[in-house]
Amino acid sequence: MNESVPTDPTSTDAPRYDFRAAEPAWQRAWAERGSFHVDDVPVGGKPKYYVLEMFPYPSGKIHMGHVRNYTLGDVVARYKRARGFEVLHPMGWDAFGLPAENAARERGIHPAKWTWDNIAAMRAELQRMGLSLDWDREFATCDPAYYGHQQKLFLDFLTAGLVERKESWVNWDPVDGTVLANEQVIDGRGWRSGALVEKKQLSQWFLRITAYAPDLLSALDTLDRWPERVRLMQSNWIGRSEGALLSFTLTQQEGDIAKAEVFTTRPDTLFGMSFLALAPEHPLAAAVAARDPGAAAFIADCRRMGTSEAVIETAEKLGYDTGLTVQHPFIEGATFPVWIANFVLMEYGTGAIFGCPAHDQRDLDFARKYGLHVTPVVLPAAGDPASFAVGNEAYVGAGTIFNSGLLDGLEVDAAKRSIIAELEKRRIGTGVVNWRLRDWGVSRQRYWGCPIPVIHCDACGIVPVPADQLPVRLPDDVTFDKPGNPLDHHPTWKYVACPKCGAAARRETDTFDTFVDSSWYFARYCSPKVDVPVDRAAVDHWMPVDQYIGGIEHAILHLLYSRFFTRAMKQTGHIAVEEPFAGLFTQGMVNHESYRATDGTWLYPDEIEKRPDGTASHRETGAPVVVGRVEAMSKSKRNTVDPGAIIDRYGADTARWFILSDNPPERDMEWTEAGVAGAYRFTQRVFRLVEGCDEMAAAMPSEFGAAGRDLRHVAHRTIAAVSDALESFSFNVAVARLYEFVNAIADADRANDRAGLPWARREAMEILARLISPMMPHLAEQIYRRLHPAAAALVVDLPWPQPDPALVAAETVTIAVQVMGKLRATIAVQPNAAADTVIAAAESEPNVMRLLAGKHVVKRVHVPNRIVNFVLAG
RNA sequence: GCGAGAGUGGCGGAACGGUAGACGCAGUCGACUCAAAAUCGACCGACCUUCGGUCAUGGGGGUUCGAAUCCCCCCUCUCGCACCA
């Protein structure tokens, strides 16, 4: 494996492209010229283009996912730049987060040191990729110079009524003393401590994303450069549903509770009611539990069960009859039992439902289990009202309402409207729109995050930190020797005077969810040094991001939060746009084969030797190796490839080229050693071609032979084809066209008719240098310099080449000749030749003649420049 | 369960309804070499009676002069959501 790569580039006779010398040299040249620098508010009138890739978390090393992400972005940035746009292409660090605190707890390294060291290491790795980034704009979200402005934004949101403090149910780890995200609860236990997680009500800060729910949903239609499925995922997440809110009166008051409010999307089925069910966390359930140990035990069971996906999948519907009953709002004297049910969610609607088993599958399962009655009220078109019954499958289709008093005879939709009007008339309910989206809880009991800038005063309540006291900085001297939030344990940090009354008060010790940090960084990049969150002129110029690129895993949370934040910033006067990302591209993952020794231990790709038949053995011991599935690179399976090692061995251009060439960028790709080696061979091949290039003749020759003419056609068509491919994110197709182009240049070198060929060949190399420059920027510069040893210009400063329309047009076209739709011959004709001429030429082809002999041709189809088809009788 | 996307050679993939398999990887043969690597050249879907044919884009129907592409049904895989009332 990999013998094709010389350890010493000078070890063979052929001229070698020495990427180890060339790549850093060109990177220095770009940096010295400030090639990728742009101003906050540019003058000069070039159209702007803002390219952004999702900024990395500084884990310590870049991985292949980063390489793919930043290569894709760099192709776009360099291409748009050549196309005459002023391109903003910044980079920074999503630098707060739990891993830094884990490093502190496990290894005693301060989170700040751990983070900044990682940033330094990763910056160096990224710089080796030769990305066209404006490094002057770099920042890290853990820098007070960033998070101080975030605190200001929060205070502005607070003033604007976009922030709330409210009680909410959270996953609480009693051992670690912290709130856990749903993803951090595994089988009901804390992922770190292993302790049973409790549901706890806690006072938390919330950003009122629900205030924008209608707009966040409807504006999805305007995001026409977003992938359809991302818009769909957001739409589902926001989850609009129309229905009714109605309240049921208890026949006997429970404590001071007299009514239960219910949300339903099927108010038309109200007469099919059989029971009322409460979520275990519902206040009425709690009131019952206070006097009924059976109810209390049932609620405790539900709480322990949790709501993880695996549990829901298998859990059967369980209920507890409270003994309470409610009156039916329309059926005089009818009452229904009130149950507590494990399948009712407190988070959705009102936490209470009315059960109509005939027309809801869950309600039906529940009713069958507990012997509750099932009354159908929607009759299918072909149904007989006297005999229609529901078995074990609820009927959820269209139909006519029956058994329903005033609704009888109405269709489902009409019945909904009618019953809502009636509810509103009697003041027991209203038609409402309900949203699945919840407000965004941003409080985290952690040290390594942005402090929430408020102060708790016993006298004044919650007092915002005055703007002139921002940033609220994290203290450096913290310890991680006990569980819980180090900010809370700090001896002095939280004790401050109330800004209002001066009395002793306490700082908020919670910090922001790190998703807050990434919800506005794209705006900060426009003016990263100013002493306000954003400079209006700068964001007005640069925003929105024209092309955003990142992983599909952020389809909902990060992108939705950013859309919300941008709206909130607009409302508070920081920005003019409300959609942050005009174009979104979601890339696929980078996968790799996995390998295991016969004892089951995972092996790194470096440790194994592949054989041509696809089997493998251990490189050192020769022991057999099991070649496993191609799957996402992960440390535990050791199927990772280190980008740094690849760049050492093959160079950045090779890595970039391979990652672009393998497949369409939105799909998952497989990283293969053979594929990288192939890309490396291509870089050397291109370099050899320029070595064989003659000096440019001063003027274009007046005559070209066939080879020169053909090459010029290919060159100019390649410009057109590569441009099209780059515009449509078909980078693998752009690569394929460039392979063809290089093959054509090599073919021309073997041609006999050499008139004008040296000139044409050199023109081809010039075009090649520019066309590969978005993908392989270093090699492009190297070729260009070889062609123009004295030139001061760099490819990076040159405009994108324009194809000559006369050369893009064909001299002859190949027409496919079909008989009865099957290909029988091809003929070469002049472009746009007359139908008669083409059909005559086609009919004179021997093979066609043979097939047409003695047959009656009923139709001759001619599609100009494409095809002739003879349709025979019978 | 609901929703979305995808099924094309050994592999990744290409193909405005118009020559299916571009281009790359892997492979075969040859040249160069003492040899190998690199490089260069040729071949490379299956099958047959091989200057010519037949069959082939998950399966089955349909529309069309012509379908990988459009329509209907089915199968498989991937992803997302999910006791959402």
Side-chain angles (χ1 to χ4, degrees), chain A residues 79 83 717-728 734 771 800-801 803:
Chain A
Y79 174 69
R83 272 268 135 119
R717 280 181 204 146
T718 303
I719 297 173
V722 170
S723 305
D724 284 353
L726 294 183
E727 294 281 356
S728 64
L771 293 185
W800 193 247

Side-chain angles (χ1 to χ4, degrees), chain A residues 96-347:
Chain A
F96 275 135
L98 203 50
E101 272 186 69
N102 291 341
R105 287 181 199 276
E106 286 155 21
R107 280 171 282 163
I109 309 165
H110 193 280
K113 179 178 166 43
W114 184 84
T115 302
W116 287 108
D117 286 354
N118 286 349
I119 287 173
M122 287 176 72
R123 183 194 301 114
E125 286 191 276
L126 284 184
Q127 285 176 338
R128 294 185 65 206
M129 284 180 64
L131 303 169
S132 61
L133 293 166
D134 183 357
W135 283 102
D136 296 342
R137 290 173 184 275
E138 176 188 4
F139 59 74
T141 57
C142 65
D143 189 331
Y146 179 81
Y147 70 67
H149 297 298
Q150 185 164 306
Q151 292 167 343
K152 176 67 168 66
L153 289 175
F154 175 79
L155 295 179
D156 288 350
F157 293 177
L158 187 64
T159 307
L162 292 169
V163 178
E164 262 186 307
R165 189 166 171 82
K166 57 186 177 188
E167 295 266 304
S168 81
W169 290 96
V170 295
N171 302 307
W172 180 258
D173 185 323
V175 171
D176 273 0
T178 184
V179 167
L180 298 177
N182 285 334
E183 300 77 44
Q184 294 165 337
V185 180
I186 297 155
D187 292 334
R189 291 170 182 273
W191 65 298
R192 252 176 54 84
S193 69
L196 274 176
V197 167
E198 300 167 0
K199 286 266 181 192
K200 188 171 166 179
Q201 271 206 313
L202 215 60
S203 227
Q204 302 260 293
W205 288 102
F206 284 84
L207 295 182
R208 294 192 54 224
I209 189 169
T210 54
Y212 289 99
D215 187 45
L216 287 168
L217 181 68
S218 62
L220 286 171
D221 291 340
T222 68
L223 298 175
D224 56 344
R225 289 177 50 230
W226 279 42
E228 182 59 37
R229 67 181 181 131
V230 174
R231 291 192 284 169
L232 207 72
M233 281 161 70
Q234 291 216 350
S235 166
N236 290 338
W237 186 266
I238 297 167
R240 180 182 195 275
S241 54
E242 285 181 14
L245 215 49
L246 66 153
S247 58
F248 289 89
T249 306
L250 290 166
T251 45
Q252 269 188 312
Q253 198 156 318
E254 174 70 37
D256 54 358
I257 301 174
K259 288 172 188 299
E261 191 162 57
V262 156
F263 172 74
T264 179
T265 55
R266 293 298 303 272
D268 54 304
T269 63
L270 188 55
F271 286 82
M273 178 171 182
S274 153
F275 59 92
L276 190 136
L278 306 169
E281 297 86 4
H282 195 280
L284 181 53
V288 172
R291 59 162 171 77
D292 178 353
F298 178 75
I299 292 168
D301 278 352
C302 292
R303 200 167 289 181
R304 219 184 27 253
M305 200 93 81
T307 51
S308 80
E309 211 170 297
V311 173
I312 290 165
E313 193 81 36
T314 53
E316 66 178 318
K317 295 185 176 31
L318 297 174
Y320 182 85
D321 187 351
T322 63
L324 299 173
T325 54
V326 289
Q327 295 165 12
H328 193 281
F330 292 94
I331 308 170
E332 199 70 35
T335 61
F336 297 96
V338 177
W339 288 66
I340 303 168
N342 67 342
F343 68 94
V344 181
L345 305 174
M346 193 62 217
E347 302 86 63

Side-chain angles (χ1 to χ4, degrees), chain A residues 259-511:
Chain A
K259 288 172 188 299
E261 191 162 57
V262 156
F263 172 74
T264 179
T265 55
R266 293 298 303 272
D268 54 304
T269 63
L270 188 55
F271 286 82
M273 178 171 182
S274 153
F275 59 92
L276 190 136
L278 306 169
E281 297 86 4
H282 195 280
L284 181 53
V288 172
R291 59 162 171 77
D292 178 353
F298 178 75
I299 292 168
D301 278 352
C302 292
R303 200 167 289 181
R304 219 184 27 253
M305 200 93 81
T307 51
S308 80
E309 211 170 297
V311 173
I312 290 165
E313 193 81 36
T314 53
E316 66 178 318
K317 295 185 176 31
L318 297 174
Y320 182 85
D321 187 351
T322 63
L324 299 173
T325 54
V326 289
Q327 295 165 12
H328 193 281
F330 292 94
I331 308 170
E332 199 70 35
T335 61
F336 297 96
V338 177
W339 288 66
I340 303 168
N342 67 342
F343 68 94
V344 181
L345 305 174
M346 193 62 217
E347 302 86 63
Y348 188 79
T350 62
I353 61 160
F354 83 79
C356 175
H359 306 292
D360 183 287
Q361 191 60 46
R362 290 157 310 178
D363 295 349
L364 184 62
D365 295 345
F366 191 77
R368 292 287 184 231
K369 181 172 170 92
Y370 292 106
L372 301 163
H373 78 84
V374 178
T375 309
V377 290
V378 180
L379 186 67
D384 170 7
S387 64
F388 178 68
V390 167
N392 284 321
E393 221 165 290
Y395 178 70
V396 295
T400 312
I401 305 296
F402 71 128
N403 295 337
S404 295
L406 64 138
L407 299 179
D408 280 353
L410 294 173
E411 296 300 303
V412 165
D413 283 341
K416 282 179 183 172
R417 285 193 298 273
S418 172
I419 192 79
I420 287 171
E422 196 62 31
L423 288 166
E424 288 177 350
K425 203 165 84 187
R426 300 189 189 192
R427 298 180 180 279
I428 49 175
T430 52
V432 293
V433 173
N434 191 53
W435 303 88
R436 182 184 175 278
L437 185 67
R438 317 313 308 163
D439 276 333
W440 176 15
V442 292
S443 298
R444 297 290 181 271
Q445 293 68 42
R446 304 230 172 90
Y447 165 71
W448 194 235
C450 171
I452 298 175
V454 294
I455 290 165
H456 300 271
C457 172
D458 289 336
C460 309
I462 285 167
V463 183
V465 174
D468 62 4
Q469 290 175 27
L470 297 181
V472 177
R473 289 169 183 271
L474 288 172
D476 286 331
D477 52 337
V478 283
T479 55
F480 294 89
D481 49 0
K482 36 183 170 177
N485 183 354
L487 288 178
D488 206 29
H489 307 145
H490 192 279
T492 57
W493 186 77
K494 71 177 171 183
Y495 301 106
V496 290
C498 170
K500 236 184 199 167
C501 70
R506 297 165 318 281
R507 277 193 195 288
E508 170 72 63
T509 57
D510 285 355
T511 53

